[in-house]
Amino acid sequence: MLAVKGGGEKACGMHSADAIRRIQEQLRERGVKYCIGAYVDIHGVPKAKVVPLDHLEQMANGSERYTGYALDGLGQAPHDDEIASLPDLNHIIQLPWEPKVAWMPADNIFQGKPYALNTRVALKNVLARAAAMGLGFNLGIECEIYLLKQNADGALSVPNADDRLVKPCYDVRGFLDNFSWLDKVATCINELGWDLYSFDHEDGNGQYEFDFQYADALTMCDRFIFFRYMAKHYAKEEGLVATMMPKPFANRTGTGAHFNMSIRELSSGRNLFACAAGEDGRGLGLTKMGYHFIGGILKHGRALCAAFAPTVNSYKRLVRQGSMTYFSWAPVFNSYGSNNRTNSVRVPAGGGRCESRNADGSVNPYLAATLALAAGLEGIREEIDPGEPNEDNLYTISESERRDRKIDFLPQTLQEAVTAFAADPLVEETLGKELRDEFIRYKTAEWEAYHLAVSSWEIERYSHLF
């Protein structure tokens, strides 16, 4: 058993000394010597100090301090006081490959208060708003990932020469040829209690997907952060590279991290999106609340795209076909429909949830979940009707038909997405001005650095032409 249960008290500095000592002894009995309280930067990359187990009580009360200016997106200048981290002792993982180390997700605090620029704190804030309405947020994130090798020149390639089908999705041979890595990842997921229910070879050569049970949104985001780290570690053991980069190859499918979302009643746990198809006039098995949630997502869809797809590379995934020999499966329209993957929001067969297909493997899940929930709650409060579902292949509709049906495009570049993000009042209302501005600053700089770089494509094309 790799997952360690905490003392049951509230997370982030609210544990009693007795509870911390009980956790300490439990960890010591399992051979743990060191603790990592992993918070994330603006990109969703984990950061931490390593603390000996004997000092867990101090760590749990904010002893570990950090110079925020040394970190991306935490909003500090060189003269500012440090931020501190507070580990969540209710979600402890003993590293399976190094059992001397215990991993804990963490928040940041500043001068004794939750730090507004920490995206996990932002998610907890909007979850509290939902709780005040008697609502909880269920989230499942599909983990698509490439397993590749790095060549001597630094380029990435598919390690298995036999994995070369034009349509390799669900290919058994391509799956079993990388069974060692797949088994390590799957075993870890299940030993952690996440309940893996399916994994397969995905639509790109060297690409796989892991699907495990949904959870409350905070827990699922914590798991996604750990999954990215864990999968990379096991790839290194195989002498390979695992990446959730959105589009590592122009001619292969991109890496999604689809968000499957529903709202539950806190008092009963009942899924408030679920109903029989016969009770839904549109036939998707979704309640009015579910449609209103989608209405909120679509109202803010272009702004949300910056959080779901937060890199320059993300927008090379969000294309109809691009350099591929067939359609990309990725959304390009701010639209919804039934079990129809050409929409950005899909209601899978059976209903009871909606899936945002914009999200990719570079997502900071805390930030994206924060804004998705805020948009959905606005849709519920204002009873926003998303209109009729789109059932046809939107990749093939004409421009005039798209305009007539009032279907907007998603942003086509990071610059366009950040502009939409900056213009949407919901973003600042939800995140606060500091976190909003920090994201805009970092992502604008990322776009400008990309735009100013001279690529090999440009040299190849223009140096001979002119």
Side-chain angles (χ1 to χ4, degrees), residues 213-233:
Q213 285 292 344
Y214 69 88
D216 67 273
L218 187 67
T219 296
M220 181 53 64
C221 291
D222 291 342
R223 289 175 177 177
F224 183 81
I225 295 296
F226 185 78
F227 175 88
R228 275 198 299 218
Y229 172 69
M230 174 264 289
K232 283 180 172 290
H233 172 83

Side-chain angles (χ1 to χ4, degrees), residues 264-313:
R264 71 183 183 278
E265 185 178 56
L266 283 179
S267 60
S268 67
R270 181 168 60 95
N271 181 354
L272 298 178
F273 284 9
C275 70
E279 298 173 9
D280 172 8
R282 290 165 174 158
L284 304 187
L286 207 62
T287 62
K288 287 184 178 180
M289 178 183 282
Y291 285 111
H292 294 155
F293 186 95
I294 291 173
I297 294 288
L298 295 181
K299 176 181 176 181
H300 301 284
R302 286 176 55 81
L304 292 181
C305 203
F308 279 132
T311 67
V312 164
N313 185 249

Side-chain angles (χ1 to χ4, degrees), residues 52-126:
L53 182 61
D54 287 344
H55 292 272
L56 178 61
E57 183 174 352
Q58 294 95 315
M59 177 188 180
N61 287 289
S63 66
E64 301 315 301
R65 296 166 66 86
Y66 302 84
T67 303
Y69 185 62
L71 300 158
D72 277 352
L74 288 173
Q76 290 202 309
H79 67 282
D80 285 325
D81 194 6
E82 296 101 333
I83 59 175
S85 63
L86 283 178
D88 186 339
L89 302 186
N90 292 320
H91 295 88
I92 303 172
I93 294 172
Q94 186 176 8
L95 295 186
W97 59 88
E98 183 46 84
K100 294 176 183 176
V101 177
W103 168 293
M104 310 158 193
D107 297 340
N108 292 122
I109 58 170
F110 181 66
Q111 296 178 347
K113 297 179 180 179
Y115 189 47
L117 277 84
N118 177 279
T119 50
R120 192 173 189 268
V121 169
L123 176 56
K124 290 168 79 171
N125 289 341
V126 76

Side-chain angles (χ1 to χ4, degrees), residues 442-453:
Y442 268 82
K443 292 302 168 180
T444 299
E446 181 178 334
W447 169 261
E448 289 175 349
Y450 166 75
H451 184 62
L452 293 172

Side-chain angles (χ1 to χ4, degrees), residues 1-2 4 26-35 53 92-103 233-234 237:
M1 182 71 172
L2 303 173
V4 180
Q26 185 183 13
L27 293 174
R28 188 173 284 113
E29 288 170 4
R30 292 174 179 236
V32 170
K33 294 175 64 178
Y34 308 104
C35 300
L53 182 61
I92 303 172
I93 294 172
Q94 186 176 8
L95 295 186
W97 59 88
E98 183 46 84
K100 294 176 183 176
V101 177
W103 168 293
H233 172 83
Y234 285 131
E237 288 189 352

Side-chain angles (χ1 to χ4, degrees), residues 163-403:
D163 190 352
R164 56 186 180 183
L165 296 176
V166 174
K167 291 190 174 185
C169 202
Y170 316 125
D171 185 56
V172 173
R173 182 172 63 180
F175 180 92
L176 291 176
D177 283 350
N178 276 314
F179 185 76
S180 176
W181 174 76
L182 290 161
D183 180 51
K184 287 178 179 179
V185 175
T187 299
C188 183
I189 289 171
N190 273 334
E191 289 186 341
L192 289 171
W194 298 0
D195 191 11
L196 179 72
Y197 60 84
S198 177
F199 58 130
D200 64 89
H201 193 300
E202 262 301 303
D203 200 50
N205 306 107
Q207 187 186 39
Y208 302 89
E209 178 175 329
F210 295 85
D211 296 319
F212 42 90
Q213 285 292 344
Y214 69 88
D216 67 273
L218 187 67
T219 296
M220 181 53 64
C221 291
D222 291 342
R223 289 175 177 177
F224 183 81
I225 295 296
F226 185 78
F227 175 88
R228 275 198 299 218
Y229 172 69
M230 174 264 289
K232 283 180 172 290
H233 172 83
Y234 285 131
K236 284 183 181 179
E237 288 189 352
E238 303 290 319
L240 299 171
V241 175
T243 180
M244 297 179 80
M245 176 182 176
K247 191 77 168 178
F249 304 106
N251 63 342
R252 296 189 178 101
T253 309
T255 305
H258 305 150
F259 273 42
N260 290 269
M261 302 174 285
S262 63
I263 294 292
R264 71 183 183 278
E265 185 178 56
L266 283 179
S267 60
S268 67
R270 181 168 60 95
N271 181 354
L272 298 178
F273 284 9
C275 70
E279 298 173 9
D280 172 8
R282 290 165 174 158
L284 304 187
L286 207 62
T287 62
K288 287 184 178 180
M289 178 183 282
Y291 285 111
H292 294 155
F293 186 95
I294 291 173
I297 294 288
L298 295 181
K299 176 181 176 181
H300 301 284
R302 286 176 55 81
L304 292 181
C305 203
F308 279 132
T311 67
V312 164
N313 185 249
S314 298
Y315 296 85
K316 299 181 179 183
R317 169 181 169 262
L318 298 181
V319 296
R320 291 186 228 208
Q321 185 168 348
S323 299
M324 296 177 60
T325 57
Y326 56 98
F327 289 126
S328 70
W329 300 107
V332 294
F333 301 108
N334 186 40
S335 61
Y336 95 102
S338 59
N339 201 17
N340 175 356
R341 289 169 173 83
T342 64
N343 292 285
S344 59
V345 179
R346 175 176 78 111
V347 180
R353 60 189 164 108
C354 63
E355 174 194 71
S356 177
R357 300 179 56 77
N358 302 16
D360 66 43
S362 67
V363 67
N364 177 338
Y366 303 111
L367 180 65
T370 298
L371 290 169
L373 178 55
L377 290 178
E378 181 182 297
I380 291 169
R381 286 193 306 269
E382 298 182 7
E383 299 186 350
I384 298 173
D385 184 358
E388 293 302 310
N390 297 285
E391 307 287 359
D392 50 338
N393 183 354
L394 298 186
Y395 291 146
T396 62
I397 65 173
S398 67
E399 277 299 287
S400 60
E401 186 177 359
R402 180 189 67 80
R403 286 192 295 269

